Amino acid sequence: QVQLVESGGGLVHSGGSLRLSCTASGSIFRINAMGWYRQAPGKQRELVATIISGGSTNYADSVKGRFTISTDNAKNTVYLQMNSLKPEDTAVYYCNADGLRLYTITRFDVWGQGTQVTVSS
């Protein structure tokens, strides 16, 4: 079993900052990629940012220049630093991890439980 635990959501005023964290645990041989997605009420889940094991990153156009994704590979943890937050960033943020399980070397693709981010105007 591979599990993701997220933290760091909350309520912040427009222009403020938050830092989300997500730690993977369990039978992990290797993590290939981790990412953050979000889902606002009445909308589909969308990509926010991803990072692969080599360090390459990808961001949604709506967050470029404001959000930064990073990892601590020793801790199997991914972070999302969110600056200059806007009310339209309000959503449940979900962490995702893709990799290989220990022993069986089979692929996993798992999601966290989500953390609420609310930006007030």
Side-chain angles (χ1 to χ4, degrees):
Q1 289 278 18
V2 177
Q3 294 179 326
L4 302 180
V5 177
E6 301 146 338
S7 62
L11 173 64
V12 65
H13 290 298
S14 181
S17 298
L18 283 174
R19 188 193 195 206
L20 305 183
S21 300
C22 171
T23 298
S25 63
S27 300
I28 299 170
F29 174 72
R30 183 178 73 213
I31 293 178
N32 295 324
M34 298 187 81
W36 290 96
Y37 295 73
R38 66 187 181 187
Q39 187 167 18
K43 295 187 177 181
Q44 291 190 333
R45 190 173 298 188
E46 63 177 5
L47 179 147
V48 176
T50 60
I51 184 167
I52 64 174
S53 59
S56 294
T57 58
N58 181 47
Y59 295 92
D61 288 343
S62 59
V63 307
K64 283 180 181 177
R66 300 188 298 122
F67 291 10
T68 301
I69 189 170
S70 61
T71 56
D72 183 334
N73 293 328
K75 297 181 180 179
N76 287 337
T77 297
V78 63
Y79 305 97
L80 186 68
Q81 179 65 44
M82 304 185 293
N83 299 328
S84 303
L85 282 161
K86 305 174 181 179
E88 51 263 44
D89 294 318
T90 296
V92 178
Y93 283 69
Y94 295 91
C95 176
N96 174 262
D98 175 279
L100 297 175
R101 293 183 180 87
L102 195 61
Y103 307 123
T104 62
I105 316 299
T106 53
R107 184 184 175 199
F108 66 81
D109 184 352
V110 295
W111 293 86
Q113 79 284 358
T115 185
Q116 177 70 46
V117 171
T118 302
V119 184
S120 63
S121 57

